[in-house]
Each structure stands twice: as C-alpha cells, then as structure tokens.
Amino acid sequence: MEYKFAFERLEVWQLARQFFRFAYETIDTFPQCEKFNLVDQIRRASTSIALNLAEMTSRSSLKEQAHYSEIAYGSAVEVYCAFLLSYDLGYIDERKMDEIQGKIEEIANKINALKNSQIKRAEQINKQQSSKP
C-alpha cells in the first residue's frame, strides 16, 4: 500500500488505526443496552485518536501540531477510562483489560513523546527568531 499523506507514515497513527479496529471488535460483544452509551463513547474516542493525529500533520505550526497531539492523547485516556468502566460492569474480563491497557499505554506514550518533541522544536525556533537582530 502506497502512503499518500504524512500521517500514514507515523508509527503512532498506525498503532491508533490498529487500536481503532481492536476497539470496535471488542465492543461488538457489549450488550445492546450500551449501544448509545459506552459503545458510542468508545467508538468516538478511539476514532478521535487517529483523526486528530492525521489532522495534526496538516498543520504548519508546531504549536498547532502539539495542540492536536494533546487532543489525541486526551482521547486515548478517554477510551481507556471507558474501557475501565466497561470492565467494572463485567463487559470485558481482566485479560482483555490488560491487553487494552498495554495498547493504550503504548499509544499514549508515543503521542506524549511526539507532543513534547513538537513543543521543544517550537521553543527552539522561537528562541532562534528572538535572537535575530
């Protein structure tokens, strides 16, 4: 498959895409009564991770990129919390929750590292521009 856009080359976006499919497969087993509550929330939050990482790559300023990284990170935490609540209700077992935790932790750590890199680069650019006469 040929990559057309920059976000497709990001390892963290690829992980978010894989997690998106994994999340959808996991919530397929949830009871029908959760269709408009936890299921919907998990769908939106897992989708938001990948979408915000993609949108991040379309932004020219590092400050804006960091903003979208931060939103993607928030969505990762949100989907993790929704799965924790699902675990509390008995919709998923401990093994599945451990798997979810590992996947989200990897994604969140990579997003956080990306955001920190964007902020650091933006600060370096600002410092360079402010030192010019």
Side-chain angles (χ1 to χ4, degrees):
M1 181 173 149
E2 184 181 337
Y3 296 130
K4 300 279 186 191
F5 296 96
F7 70 85
E8 294 174 289
R9 289 187 290 277
L10 288 174
E11 181 185 355
V12 69
W13 179 82
Q14 292 171 9
L15 290 171
R17 183 180 179 198
Q18 291 168 10
F19 183 79
F20 163 81
R21 287 190 307 266
F22 169 81
Y24 266 63
E25 290 166 2
T26 302
I27 59 178
D28 250 2
T29 64
F30 284 24
Q32 185 66 22
C33 67
E34 287 297 342
K35 182 178 179 184
F36 298 109
N37 191 20
L38 284 170
V39 167
D40 186 52
Q41 196 68 29
I42 290 168
R43 281 185 180 139
R44 286 186 285 116
S46 64
T47 302
S48 178
I49 300 168
L51 291 177
N52 279 290
L53 289 168
E55 187 163 355
M56 172 203 72
T57 64
S58 74
R59 303 303 173 166
S60 57
S61 86
L62 290 166
K63 185 177 177 182
E64 281 185 290
Q65 290 176 14
H67 173 73
Y68 282 95
S69 295
E70 195 169 310
I71 294 171
Y73 181 88
S75 294
V77 172
E78 180 180 346
V79 76
Y80 176 71
C81 180
F83 273 122
L84 272 175
L85 297 174
S86 302
Y87 171 75
D88 291 345
L89 293 171
Y91 299 157
I92 53 177
D93 61 22
E94 189 172 349
R95 183 193 59 76
K96 181 63 87 172
M97 191 63 227
D98 288 345
E99 186 178 6
I100 291 164
Q101 183 179 14
K103 290 176 185 293
I104 287 294
E105 190 172 8
E106 181 179 16
I107 291 168
N109 286 341
K110 287 183 183 302
I111 293 170
N112 201 36
L114 178 62
K115 181 186 76 158
N116 290 338
S117 170
Q118 292 160 334
I119 291 169
K120 185 177 180 180
R121 288 184 1 239
E123 288 171 352
Q124 289 171 343
I125 290 169
N126 287 339
K127 194 182 285 188
Q128 289 171 351
Q129 289 175 345
S130 66
S131 67
K132 289 182 181 178

